Amino acid sequence: MKTLTAEYYTNREVSWLAFNERVLDEARDKNNPLYERAKFLAITQSNMDEWFQVRVASLYQLRHVKEQQDVSGLSPHEQLKLVSDLAGQQIKEQYQVLNRSILPALEQHGLHIVSIEQITDEQRSELAGYYQSSVFPVLTPMADDQTRPFPFLATDSLNLVVSLAKGNEDRMAIVPIPDILPRVIAIPEFAGQYILLEDLIRLFIDGLFTGFRVKSATAFHILRDMELDVTDDEGPNLLVEVQQKLFERERGAVIRLVHEKNMPKRILGRLMRVLDVADSRVYAVNGPIDLDFLNKLVKFGSDPTARYPKYSQYLDESLSDERIFETIADHDVLLHHPYDSFKPVVNLIQQSAKDANVLAIKMVLYRVSGNSPIIAALSAAAHAGKQVTVLVEVKARFDEENNVHWAQELERQGVHVIYGLKGLKVHAKVALVVRREGDDIKRYVHLGTGNYNDVTANFYTDLGLLTTDAEMGIDVASVFNVLTGYSDPDYFNQLYMSPDGIREALIDRLHQVRAAKRAGHDVKVRFKANSLSDKEMVDEIFAASQDGVPVDMLIRGITMLKPGIPGISENIAVHSIVGRMLEHSRIYIFEIDGQAEVFLSSADLMTRNLSRRVELMFPILEPALAQQVIDVFDTMWHDNVKTRVLQSNDDWVKQNRRSTEPINAQKVFIADAVARVATQKQARERREAQQSQFEPVNHPF
């Protein structure tokens, strides 16, 4: 294998910004419905916010460690400078898309954000009543002077900084924008006219500072370091420790300041000093702060053609009621969400709660919805006297508070709750139902690539397996014994579990494929994941390429290797799909002479997933289902509408569709789901017609 030097790798943060640029491209793409383009633009904002709060914050903490370099040869300080500059350029591009494309198009569709300068006296009069009754009572102006410390500002908060004058004296005050109020407000009696909450406050701000003259009121937004660091040392109860860390995190260092471009220099300088934020992480924007307002604005839209068309998810009728046990016992079931409904997964837990033969339910919950039917079903099962054990990962990033709440609620309902593990996040997606059937005990298992979240399951693509395979059932039971007790099994029959187990399994199979290629066999490797940022895995993929193994990878986000380099990676191709659905499934396929081993996993090809998390990888044993997974991959691989192809210079290029039929993989899957729904409906109608045809006629007398 040739020596690998820094030039063959891409910095992970630069690669992440390239991913967010691909999302921004969807906001630019006029082939997308208008409201959806606006949402894509808002997504680029939320993506970048999270990235700053976690990844940039980590670089900031490491900026003085000069000897520590990433795979591309950059120190933390060099990375911080590079990505801060690139982020600034991307923020400018966001606002170019907003001002030149999205807002003018929304205005043509009857959704007009009215600025302070455009407000008429009549509109001001219409807004005055709402301001006085609903806004003014909840505002809290906070002075900044020598007698009072600068007020604490929460992360992700939007604020107005107000410059005031009284005689020859200048003052400054902060007015937090209340997040309990709607950000976008319809102007009464003016259809299609809307004002942002911060502008409404500015419109009447004189009333907050009687006796002073308001010289300026400009908006700004801050983000703090939000990384949650729970120590591995023996300490207090994990739940208590997480709750304490959440409190401390709210007061983390300010990692970014975004402000309106017309903010006075004196005011900006004061903010930078008191918030202790460097110039490299301060960004001026030409437009409304925090683009999330677009999500609120398009909710007022009434044009159905400006949204993605609705479609029917496929739901196998035999998986929607009590027949689900009989169906899974008869054959394994593969679910491809969101094209296949998530309801069978929910129904399995709901039926298990009601079924008298079900003895126990065990689950791992990483992220759940705010009103989760699975939580309700687990509570009902506990009330019914079943053994219910749930591991709730209270360290799930940005869902910590939600998960702490649900963990405590489940415990109150009589569920045995494990609050995660010390030093490891549990990211596996697994459920086990133990059912008595005659004199036997049968294990019903669900394994998936995505969370047990009935809301995100409608727009995240994930794959799941429902099975009663005996060996998998034994393995899953062993997994739960590891998570809840002190078990340390020597081996698993079918499953692989990280830390270490998944990495070893993937590398072992890459070695098998490489050996087969050297022996003259036809081989192929296909991976689909959210990110590829583990150096050991990257190097193993480089080695496979150098042995002549074709490696096709669908990677949605970060990709640290450069493909197409002669002698290094010329057999590697990397595609990325950003579309209507968020690609979330993980697929690993190894093929030798047409015989493929197909695995699904909760784990991405990232160091944290392979070395610092509990993850599961599982095989698809039924040949027909394995072929379905291969078909899913191949359909996506041939997508030429939403696909970008990674070049050796780190550019992402759209597929050349000249003289070819457009293939949008996600649309193909939607069309297939709609067709299966129609076929099932027709079959049901035929059965009903046959039944009615032979129904006996009651005696008329």
Side-chain angles (χ1 to χ4, degrees):
M1 177 176 169
K2 292 188 177 181
T3 302
L4 297 173
T5 55
E7 63 187 302
Y8 302 132
Y9 302 90
T10 301
N11 173 265
R12 65 166 286 165
E13 312 312 335
V14 171
S15 182
W16 184 91
L17 283 165
F19 155 67
N20 210 40
E21 185 71 23
R22 297 196 291 279
V23 180
L24 186 57
D25 279 343
E26 294 301 309
R28 295 186 179 105
D29 189 348
K30 294 183 179 179
N31 292 314
N32 289 329
L34 176 59
Y35 300 164
E36 309 300 340
R37 291 173 58 204
K39 289 180 181 179
F40 275 117
L41 184 54
I43 289 169
T44 66
Q45 167 89 57
S46 60
N47 283 349
M48 188 176 283
D49 286 356
E50 181 174 336
W51 176 72
F52 259 97
Q53 290 177 101
V54 178
R55 294 300 309 170
V56 177
S58 297
L59 288 175
Y60 181 72
Q61 293 174 2
L62 294 170
R63 68 192 185 281
H64 299 305
V65 186
K66 295 180 180 179
E67 66 275 9
Q68 182 172 328
Q69 294 183 335
D70 78 322
V71 294
S72 66
L74 298 176
S75 70
H77 177 77
E78 290 170 330
Q79 292 181 66
L80 190 62
K81 176 66 170 68
L82 175 62
V83 301
S84 293
D85 292 344
L86 291 174
Q89 179 58 39
Q90 193 167 103
I91 290 171
K92 288 181 181 178
E93 293 174 5
Q94 288 174 326
Y95 279 84
Q96 287 174 356
V97 174
L98 176 73
N99 294 317
R100 297 178 184 179
S101 183
I102 299 298
L103 287 182
L106 289 173
E107 201 169 316
Q108 291 178 359
H109 277 68
L111 297 172
H112 180 206
I113 292 289
V114 182
S115 67
I116 288 280
E117 295 76 20
Q118 296 170 323
I119 287 286
T120 65
D121 290 342
E122 190 177 357
Q123 289 173 327
R124 181 187 177 101
S125 177
E126 289 292 343
L127 289 165
Y130 174 76
Y131 174 80
Q132 291 297 333
S133 64
S134 301
V135 180
F136 180 75
V138 298
L139 295 180
T140 305
M142 298 183 291
D144 172 39
D145 58 30
Q146 294 178 347
T147 65
R148 284 160 284 203
F150 188 83
F152 172 77
L153 303 176
T155 189
D156 200 21
S157 64
L158 184 61
N159 305 272
L160 291 176
V161 57
V162 186
S163 177
L164 303 163
K166 187 174 185 180
N168 295 325
E169 295 184 19
D170 287 333
R171 294 282 191 271
M172 191 176 99
I174 304 293
V175 180
I177 307 299
D179 57 9
I180 59 172
L181 296 177
R183 176 87 187 279
V184 179
I185 300 156
I187 302 177
E189 306 301 325
F190 287 84
Q193 306 284 299
Y194 304 88
I195 188 170
L196 296 180
L197 178 58
E198 61 266 30
D199 284 339
L200 177 62
I201 294 170
R202 277 191 275 222
L203 196 61
F204 299 101
I205 200 164
D206 290 347
L208 284 174
F209 301 99
T210 55
F212 285 81
R213 178 171 60 89
V214 176
K215 297 170 64 177
S216 68
T218 45
F220 69 96
H221 178 267
I222 69 165
L223 292 175
R224 294 182 181 274
D225 181 345
M226 292 292 282
E227 184 69 307
L228 187 82
D229 182 21
V230 178
T231 65
D232 294 345
D233 302 329
E234 290 297 324
N237 175 280
L238 181 60
L239 179 62
V240 173
E241 188 173 347
V242 168
Q243 291 174 314
Q244 175 62 31
K245 290 293 183 180
L246 287 173
F247 175 80
E248 294 173 5
R249 188 175 71 176
E250 287 298 320
R251 284 146 182 82
V254 173
I255 207 69
R256 191 189 72 186
L257 168 64
V258 177
H259 64 90
E260 292 176 321
K261 68 173 186 177
N262 61 341
M263 180 177 286
K265 289 184 179 180
R266 180 181 65 84
I267 298 295
L268 177 58
R270 171 64 178 164
L271 286 179
M272 291 173 61
R273 286 193 301 275
V274 296
L275 296 173
D276 191 25
V277 57
D279 181 69
S280 61
R281 287 173 285 110
V282 177
Y283 303 97
V285 298
N286 180 26
I289 306 290
D290 189 355
L291 298 175
D292 184 61
F293 80 90
L294 291 167
N295 283 323
K296 279 71 175 179
L297 180 60
V298 298
K299 288 182 180 179
F300 291 101
S302 58
D303 182 359
T305 65
R307 304 186 195 279
Y308 286 127
K310 294 181 179 180
Y311 71 97
S312 298
Q313 297 175 320
Y314 177 71
L315 174 60
D316 185 333
E317 292 171 345
S318 70
L319 297 172
S320 64
D321 53 32
E322 67 277 357
R323 291 176 293 169
I324 190 168
F325 294 112
E326 179 183 344
T327 301
I328 301 172
D330 181 67
H331 59 271
D332 287 359
V333 176
L334 182 74
L335 298 171
H336 186 196
H337 311 300
Y339 318 105
D340 291 327
S341 171
F342 191 69
K343 289 180 180 177
V345 180
V346 176
N347 186 48
L348 174 64
I349 308 304
Q350 291 175 332
Q351 293 298 329
S352 298
K354 295 187 289 186
D355 190 298
N357 292 316
V358 168
L359 306 176
I361 305 172
K362 301 182 181 185
M363 288 191 77
V364 172
L365 298 180
Y366 190 75
R367 299 189 198 275
V368 295
S369 64
N371 190 24
S372 172
I374 287 179
I375 295 286
L378 292 169
S379 299
H383 282 290
K386 303 179 189 303
Q387 292 291 318
V388 183
T389 303
V390 179
L391 188 147
V392 181
E393 182 47 80
V394 293
K395 301 186 294 296
R397 183 177 292 149
F398 297 116
D399 268 357
E400 296 96 346
E401 291 181 81
N402 185 55
N403 285 8
V404 166
H405 163 74
W406 283 124
Q408 292 174 327
E409 179 61 28
L410 285 169
E411 207 162 42
R412 281 192 288 269
Q413 300 301 322
V415 174
H416 179 216
V417 177
I418 309 296
Y419 292 93
L421 300 179
K422 199 76 166 168
L424 291 172
K425 280 187 181 179
V426 182
H427 192 248
K429 326 299 185 184
V430 59
L432 171 66
V433 174
V434 181
R435 190 170 188 256
R436 182 193 299 112
E437 297 184 1
D439 294 331
D440 295 327
I441 295 293
K442 180 163 283 190
R443 295 181 177 94
Y444 290 79
V445 170
H446 175 262
L447 289 156
T449 66
N451 300 307
Y452 289 106
N453 188 316
D454 56 293
V455 175
T456 58
N458 290 307
F459 52 91
Y460 280 29
T461 74
D462 276 302
L463 289 157
L465 178 70
L466 294 166
T467 184
T468 57
D469 179 85
E471 289 189 337
M472 281 206 196
I474 293 170
D475 285 353
V476 169
S478 296
V479 167
F480 279 104
N481 289 340
V482 171
L483 297 178
T484 63
Y486 293 108
S487 177
D488 186 14
D490 293 331
Y491 68 94
F492 290 110
N493 298 291
Q494 299 290 348
L495 300 187
Y496 298 91
M497 183 170 74
S498 67
D500 300 324
I502 295 176
R503 181 195 299 278
E504 291 174 358
L506 291 173
I507 290 175
D508 179 61
R509 279 163 177 78
L510 281 171
H511 288 178
Q512 291 177 28
V513 170
R514 290 171 61 191
K517 180 64 178 178
R518 291 193 297 267
H521 297 277
D522 290 329
V523 301
K524 191 170 189 177
V525 171
R526 284 168 277 195
F527 287 171
K528 180 178 184 293
N530 296 319
S531 295
L532 170 61
S533 62
D534 180 80
K535 185 178 184 301
E536 185 177 359
M537 288 304 307
V538 168
D539 289 350
E540 290 290 345
I541 293 167
F542 275 142
S545 173
Q546 291 177 39
D547 278 340
V549 176
V551 182
D552 293 345
M553 293 191 290
L554 289 162
I555 308 291
R556 186 190 82 224
I558 299 165
T559 313
M560 283 185 9
L561 62 73
K562 298 177 188 286
I565 300 174
I568 300 294
S569 58
E570 71 266 35
N571 293 304
I572 300 171
V574 182
H575 292 189
S576 177
I577 292 179
V578 176
R580 174 176 181 173
M581 314 301 178
L582 184 140
E583 289 299 332
H584 194 252
S585 54
R586 292 90 167 185
I587 302 170
Y588 303 112
I589 304 169
F590 303 87
E591 186 173 319
I592 301 175
D593 291 335
Q595 299 298 309
E597 274 193 293
V598 177
F599 297 92
L600 303 179
S601 182
S602 60
D604 284 311
L605 299 173
M606 305 177 74
T607 303
R608 72 185 190 196
N609 297 94
L610 301 176
S611 298
R612 299 195 300 272
R613 287 185 173 184
V614 176
E615 307 268 13
L616 291 176
M617 184 172 78
F618 53 97
I620 303 300
L621 300 174
E622 290 289 335
L625 300 188
Q627 187 59 50
Q628 283 185 39
V629 176
I630 294 171
D631 291 344
V632 166
F633 185 100
D634 288 347
T635 299
M636 297 192 70
W637 190 254
H638 291 105
D639 181 295
N640 56 18
V641 175
K642 293 300 181 182
T643 290
R644 280 84 166 174
V645 180
L646 180 60
Q647 309 298 302
S648 58
N649 64 355
D650 289 336
D651 286 346
W652 290 88
V653 178
K654 277 201 166 188
Q655 295 273 46
N656 185 347
R657 295 215 313 266
R658 188 176 301 166
S659 303
T660 61
E661 181 181 351
I663 301 173
N664 183 327
Q666 294 183 352
K667 283 188 175 181
V668 170
F669 297 137
I670 288 173
D672 175 67
V674 170
R676 285 184 290 144
V677 169
T679 300
Q680 182 173 250
K681 181 181 179 183
Q682 291 169 0
R684 183 174 63 251
E685 290 173 347
R686 283 196 298 270
R687 290 194 304 270
E688 291 171 352
Q690 291 171 353
Q691 289 171 357
S692 62
Q693 183 178 354
F694 295 105
E695 284 180 0
V697 178
N698 291 333
H699 195 286
F701 306 105

